């Protein structure tokens, strides 16, 4: 499988603060890839690094098979993006905005083509209106139209449903699915809502405080029988090292109360047996909540693993 | 007593000589009287340390007895105040004065008789005029005028084609200038920096105006509006 | 590059703020012309009192050339503030509006992006100056006619023949363009550092105002500073109204201004290339 985005050990520090910490992930061609995390988790910083707005402190980014910093121009010609709020030139009309922005992406479109792009997001009739008269939802749709105008292979959408009404949210979802299924585009879409991502994404990446929490196929990660196991042993560090060499390495991490692992419910007895056979002194082993609940906790403000695992 | 006689004798002598000078001035004046007015074309050059003006073509208007105007067609001309005095006619024209002989001198190689005029009118700005008169042509070659207000100025005259009318070809007027200084806050000036040049101190306090006449149109009438 | 610059110009001229400067300049010029038309003689008397004491000045003293000189003399001190308004907005305005991140995420190098913005700001500056020259010169000549030009310096009174004036205005226009571009590049540099539009405008204006005050105050302590102030060199357009023109000094000033432009723009680019766009 060829990867459209391939990120390795991406790190960004702002002074003392580490906004993104050793993040690695890959986005497959033609997929809708969900990027999930709470506000402030480092999503925007990551997206800005993908778009060369921010220089990474460490790590590498490769897009469309090319290293980003060295092939910036060629890569960005194939990328369309909405970054946070859809801010546009408010004193220009919708048509002028999309005209300028597509020109800057290196394509010169006829007025008819531009109008067609506006039609697609339902702004055909407002083409000649100044953007300052637009509602947040209209700006968001215009932002999407601008991101699509130069027919990019990769779309990076940062919270594209922000500020939209339910109908608008549904429209954006359908548009994302259509772009992916019918036009074969790869869409990298971020959100702080799991519900948003799970309905459109094929794969997803969850980050918390700059670090990767989970990555995988949405269907697998959110399978009801996938569960989170909390394990407490005499020597958690050694146990973690031991488990890292097994099939249970997935999502393996040390939390305050013990070791967290992710696995299929049916595998829990096998884990138990493995620990006993390897002479690990187990104080407790609990199958906790479903993964989905856990992710929900991650993406809901003010709730964290520590609080949840109690 | 003896001395008294001597004084009396000197006085008589001086009066006698003065009569001779008076006669000479009469001749000069008579020549000038022939000119009622003129319009002359010429070139004026102003040389004052703090004025930088190009030499330019001017038209000079004159009308008896002492109306005088220098104009630059479509442009601006600068003359020292009392520029009227560039015209010597004014010196002789009006007023009463006492004539005192001053011997002889040579102006630009021409022998002249020196006549001093002391105005008798106490209100007169002129205190003393020293005229160097060319007896042969009956024209003034040089005049040094001392005034109360503007100090001493000097007029040098050269004659050529219009000698018969007593009109000069070239007049050089030398006068005293005052200092000129404007605050830089008003002029918004560029500051060069570095040491100020010494030449500023050495700036001459004398200025000159030089008018070279090319042609005169004499007694053809001059429109009044030219003097406004 | 031209393509980018055209887009920048398009944006500039679609912004209402752009026209403030044109309106302000037009208004000031008209006011000066009106005032001169109504009461110019009194003003002249006042200006010339120093020289009038000893000299008679004959001719059309109040003419189009004189009025235009007066306009330049007045406006070239204030136009920089108007230029700050647009140049200071160039990058910071986009940052404040949130469109800078769109631009930087486009397949255009940041250097080219910034250069096109600077060129667009410069073209704006030139247009402003041209507007000023056309309205100021043609308007004044139409109203007051032409004659010789009197120029007063602190220690010199200069009279320029009317046939000797136009080339000086043309040269002064070129020099003024350089001066105004220096201001534009300064505002531009400030613009790169800020994420709001007001900061760099105020910042650049403050620098220009302080430097101008230092330049125009005739105080010995400041005089020593003056050769190092770009605002002092900006005044050297008047050098073209000297006779003879001190070519070396004018050239020196022009080079100083050019060096400032290169420095400010290079700094702006160097900083912008490294900047993390967070707005």
């Amino acid at each position: 499988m060829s990867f459209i985005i391939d990120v390795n050990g991406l790190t960004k520090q702002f002074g003392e603060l580490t906004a993104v910490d050793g993040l690695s992930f890959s986005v497959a061609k033609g997929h809708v890839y969900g990027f999930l995390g709470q506000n402030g988790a480092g999503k925007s910083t990551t997206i800005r690094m993908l778009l060369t707005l921010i220089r990474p402190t460490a790590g590498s980014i490769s897009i469309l098979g090319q290293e980003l910093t060295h092939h910036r121009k060629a890569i960005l010609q194939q990328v369309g993006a909405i970054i946070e709020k859809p801010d546009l030139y408010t004193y220009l009309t919708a048509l002028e905005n999309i005209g300028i922005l597509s020109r800057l992406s290196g394509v010169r479109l006829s007025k008819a083509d531009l109008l067609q792009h506006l039609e697609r997001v339902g702004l055909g009739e407002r083409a000649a209106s100044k953007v300052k008269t637009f509602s947040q939802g209209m700006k968001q749709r215009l932002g999407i139209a601008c991101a699509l105008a130069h027919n990019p292979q990769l779309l990076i959408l940062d919270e594209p449903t922000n500020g939209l009404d339910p109908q608008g949210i549904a429209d954006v979802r359908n548009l994302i699915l259509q772009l992916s299924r019918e036009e074969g585009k790869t869409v990298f879409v971020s959100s702080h809502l799991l519900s948003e991502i799970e309905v459109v994404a094929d794969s997803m990446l969850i980050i918390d405080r700059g670090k990767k929490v989970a990555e995988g196929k949405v269907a697998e990660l959110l399978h009801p029988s996938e569960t989170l196991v909390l394990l407490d042993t005499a020597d958690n560090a050694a146990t973690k090292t031991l488990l890292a060499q097994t099939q249970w390495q997935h999502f393996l991490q040390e939390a305050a109360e013990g070791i967290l692992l992710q696995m299929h419910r049916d595998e829990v007895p096998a884990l138990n047996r493995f620990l006993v056979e390897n002479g690990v002194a187990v104080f407790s082993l609990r199958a906790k909540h479903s993964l989905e609940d856990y992710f929900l906790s991650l993406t809901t403000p003010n709730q964290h693993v520590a609080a949840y695992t109690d | 007593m003896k001395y008294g006689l001597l004084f009396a004798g000197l006085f008589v002598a001086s009066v006698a000589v003065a009569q001779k000078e008076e006669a000479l001035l009469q001749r000069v004046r008579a020549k000038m009287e022939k000119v009622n007015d003129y319009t002359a074309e010429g070139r004026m050059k102003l040389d004052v340390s703090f004025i930088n003006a190009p030499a330019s073509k001017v038209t000079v208007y004159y009308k008896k007895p002492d109306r005088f105007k220098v104009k630059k067609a479509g442009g601006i001309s600068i003359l020292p105040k009392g520029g009227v005095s560039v015209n010597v006619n004014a010196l002789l024209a009006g007023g009463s004065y006492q004539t005192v002989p001053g011997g002889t001198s040579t102006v630009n190689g021409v022998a002249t008789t020196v006549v001093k005029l002391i105005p008798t009118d106490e209100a007169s700005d002129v205190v003393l005029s020293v005229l160097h008169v060319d007896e042969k042509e009956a024209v003034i070659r040089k005049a040094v005028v001392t005034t109360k207000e503007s100090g001493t100025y000097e007029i040098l005259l050269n004659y050529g084609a219009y000698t018969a009318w007593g009109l000069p070809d070239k007049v050089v007027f030398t006068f005293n200038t005052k200092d000129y200084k404007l605050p830089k806050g008003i002029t918004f000036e560029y500051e060069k920096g570095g040491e100020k040049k010494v030449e500023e101190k050495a700036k001459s306090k004398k200025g000159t105006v030089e008018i070279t006449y090319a042609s005169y149109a004499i007694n053809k009438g001059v429109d009044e509006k030219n003097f406004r | 590059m031209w393509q980018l610059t055209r887009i920048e110009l398009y944006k500039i001229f679609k912004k209402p703020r752009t026209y403030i400067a044109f309106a302000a300049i037009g208004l000031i010029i008209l006011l000066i012309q009106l005032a001169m038309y109504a009461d110019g003689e009194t003003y002249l008397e006042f200006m010339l009192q120093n020289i009038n004491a000893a000299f008679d000045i004959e001719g059309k003293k109040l003419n189009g050339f004189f009025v235009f000189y007066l306009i330049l003399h007045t406006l070239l001190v204030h136009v920089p503030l108007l230029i700050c308004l647009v140049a200071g907005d160039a990058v910071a305005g986009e940052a404040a509006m949130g469109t800078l991140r769109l631009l930087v995420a486009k397949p255009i190098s940041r250097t080219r992006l910034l250069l096109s913005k600077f060129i667009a700001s410069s073209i704006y500056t030139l247009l402003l100056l041209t507007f000023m020259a056309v309205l100021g010169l043609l308007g004044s000549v139409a109203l007051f006619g032409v004659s010789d030009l009197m120029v007063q310096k602190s220690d010199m009174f200069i009279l320029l023949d009317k046939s000797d004036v136009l080339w000086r205005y043309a040269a002064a226009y070129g020099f003024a363009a350089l001066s105004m571009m220096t201001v534009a590049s300064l505002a531009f540099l400030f613009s790169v550092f800020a994420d709001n539009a007001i900061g760099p405008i105020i910042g650049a204006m403050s620098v220009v105002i302080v430097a101008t005050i230092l330049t125009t105050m005739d105080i010995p302590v400041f005089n020593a500073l003056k050769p190092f102030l770009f605002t002092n060199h900006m005044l050297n357009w008047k050098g073209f109204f000297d006779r003879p023109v001190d070519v070396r000094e004018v050239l020196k000033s022009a080079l100083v201004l050019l060096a400032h432009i290169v420095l400010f723009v290079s700094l702006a680019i160097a900083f912008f290339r490294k900047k993390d766009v967070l707005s």
Side-chain angles (χ1 to χ4, degrees), chain C residues 206-224:
Chain C
S206 306
V207 170
V208 172
I209 289 171
V210 169
T212 304
I213 289 173
L214 289 180
T215 302
T216 49
M217 289 232 289
D218 196 11
I219 295 174
V221 183
F222 295 163
N223 285 350

Side-chain angles (χ1 to χ4, degrees), chain C residues 43-75:
Chain C
Y43 175 79
L44 263 176
E45 277 303 310
F46 174 73
M47 283 302 288
L48 297 172
Q49 55 186 343
N50 209 318
I51 200 129
N52 267 345
F55 292 89
D56 280 327
I57 302 175
E58 220 24 85
K60 191 155 49 169
K61 290 174 266 189
L62 188 65
N63 58 64
F65 288 153
F66 179 81
V67 174
F68 185 49
Y69 189 86
L70 189 70
I71 288 170
L72 287 186
H73 173 87
T74 313
L75 273 183

Side-chain angles (χ1 to χ4, degrees), chain B residues 195-208:
Chain B
E195 294 295 307
K196 281 270 175 290
K197 285 177 193 151
V198 199
E199 67 177 69
E200 207 162 336
K201 278 179 198 156
K203 258 186 189 170
S204 167
K205 289 276 200 261
K206 290 243 183 260
T208 62

Side-chain angles (χ1 to χ4, degrees), chain A residues 203-269:
Chain A
S203 310
M204 69 175 180
L205 167 70
I206 302 175
I207 65 166
D208 183 43
R209 281 170 287 185
K211 287 188 182 165
K212 174 157 85 176
V213 174
E215 184 191 12
K217 289 244 163 64
V218 174
E220 288 171 11
L221 285 175
L222 298 185
H223 197 277
S225 53
E226 284 288 314
T227 187
L228 194 66
V229 174
L230 178 66
L231 178 66
D232 195 14
T233 66
D235 186 350
N236 282 339
T239 309
K240 192 183 164 216
T241 315
L242 181 68
L243 288 172
Q245 288 145 31
T246 67
Q247 71 269 36
W248 296 300
Q249 58 180 306
H250 206 75
F251 191 55
L252 181 66
Q253 58 183 279
E254 226 183 311
E257 303 81 4
I259 299 165
L260 276 172
L261 310 95
Q262 173 213 334
M263 63 182 60
H264 199 271
R265 220 181 148 72
D266 298 348
E267 284 183 273
V268 176

Side-chain angles (χ1 to χ4, degrees), chain A residues 12 48 52-55 72-73 77 83 85 87-89 91-92 96 101 103-105 108, chain C residues 3-4 7 10-11 14-15 94 97 99 101-108 110 276-279:
Chain A
K12 178 65 189 183
R48 280 170 189 254
T52 72
L53 294 172
I54 293 180
R55 297 180 150 216
R72 180 176 177 274
K73 192 176 167 187
Q77 271 172 348
I83 311 148
K85 293 180 280 123
D87 286 319
L88 294 151
Y89 296 102
Y91 54 88
L92 299 179
E96 286 166 340
L101 290 170
R103 191 81 66 83
L104 289 172
S105 288
R108 184 190 280 270
Chain C
Q3 168 79 206
L4 272 179
I7 290 176
Y10 185 79
K11 288 192 287 192
K14 278 283 180 176
K15 232 180 292 184
E94 300 245 10
M97 201 167 23
T99 45
R101 54 179 190 262
L102 287 179
L103 284 185
V104 176
K106 291 289 175 190
I108 303 152
R110 291 194 186 189
D276 283 339
V277 177
L278 302 173
S279 58

Side-chain angles (χ1 to χ4, degrees), chain A:
Chain A
M1 184 160 25
S2 65
F3 291 119
I4 293 290
I5 303 179
D6 200 358
V7 169
N8 251 306
L10 191 64
T11 300
K12 178 65 189 183
Q13 285 176 313
F14 293 109
E16 293 285 292
L17 178 84
T18 304
V20 176
D21 192 355
L23 199 59
S24 302
F25 61 90
S26 310
V27 178
K29 185 171 167 50
H31 273 207
V32 176
Y33 191 90
F35 186 34
L36 199 58
Q38 230 172 282
N39 289 329
K43 292 192 309 280
S44 279
T45 306
T46 305
I47 286 180
R48 280 170 189 254
M49 285 193 279
L50 292 179
L51 292 166
T52 72
L53 294 172
I54 293 180
R55 297 180 150 216
T57 309
S60 69
I61 300 171
S62 147
I63 295 178
L64 296 159
Q66 288 179 305
E67 207 281 317
L68 181 59
T69 44
H70 293 117
H71 302 91
R72 180 176 177 274
K73 192 176 167 187
I75 290 170
L76 290 179
Q77 271 172 348
Q78 295 301 327
V79 176
I82 298 186
I83 311 148
E84 287 177 40
K85 293 180 280 123
D87 286 319
L88 294 151
Y89 296 102
T90 50
Y91 54 88
L92 299 179
T93 66
L95 189 65
E96 286 166 340
N97 266 290
I98 194 170
I100 283 181
L101 290 170
S102 60
R103 191 81 66 83
L104 289 172
S105 288
V107 295
R108 184 190 280 270
L109 297 174
S110 67
K111 192 180 170 189
D113 285 341
L114 292 174
L115 280 172
Q116 208 181 337
H117 279 287
L118 292 177
E119 294 284 356
R120 184 176 191 175
V121 294
L123 288 173
E125 283 170 16
R126 299 297 300 272
S129 305
K130 292 234 162 93
V131 172
K132 63 179 162 213
T133 65
F134 281 19
S135 68
Q136 189 64 21
M138 291 164 80
K139 285 185 193 167
Q140 191 69 273
R141 295 204 302 251
L142 178 56
I144 293 174
C146 289
L148 286 172
H150 57 290
N151 194 25
Q153 289 188 45
L154 169 65
L155 263 178
I156 297 178
L157 306 176
D158 194 0
E159 305 267 0
T161 53
N162 243 0
L164 295 187
D165 55 19
Q167 181 57 48
I169 292 173
D171 287 348
V172 169
R173 271 183 205 155
N174 291 335
L175 185 63
I176 290 174
L177 290 173
Q178 184 195 344
L179 288 167
S180 160
R181 308 278 141 81
E182 292 168 23
E183 299 180 29
K185 293 189 192 306
T186 308
V187 183
F188 184 90
V189 54
S190 83
S191 178
H192 61 282
L193 297 173
L194 183 61
S195 58
E196 285 282 325
I197 298 298
E198 73 177 304
V199 289
V200 291
D202 302 304
S203 310
M204 69 175 180
L205 167 70
I206 302 175
I207 65 166
D208 183 43
R209 281 170 287 185
K211 287 188 182 165
K212 174 157 85 176
V213 174
E215 184 191 12
K217 289 244 163 64
V218 174
E220 288 171 11
L221 285 175
L222 298 185
H223 197 277
S225 53
E226 284 288 314
T227 187
L228 194 66
V229 174
L230 178 66
L231 178 66
D232 195 14
T233 66
D235 186 350
N236 282 339
T239 309
K240 192 183 164 216
T241 315
L242 181 68
L243 288 172
Q245 288 145 31
T246 67
Q247 71 269 36
W248 296 300
Q249 58 180 306
H250 206 75
F251 191 55
L252 181 66
Q253 58 183 279
E254 226 183 311
E257 303 81 4
I259 299 165
L260 276 172
L261 310 95
Q262 173 213 334
M263 63 182 60
H264 199 271
R265 220 181 148 72
D266 298 348
E267 284 183 273
V268 176
L271 169 68
N272 193 14
R273 197 160 49 243
F274 173 81
L275 291 172
V276 172
E277 279 169 5
N278 282 277
V280 176
V282 177
F283 295 147
S284 74
L285 189 158
R286 283 183 286 163
K288 300 274 299 184
H289 315 261
S290 77
L291 263 180
E292 181 167 5
D293 289 341
Y294 173 61
F295 294 146
L296 270 176
S297 81
L298 274 184
T299 54
T300 310
N302 304 324
Q303 271 182 290
H304 274 291
V305 188
Y308 190 74
T309 46
D310 285 336

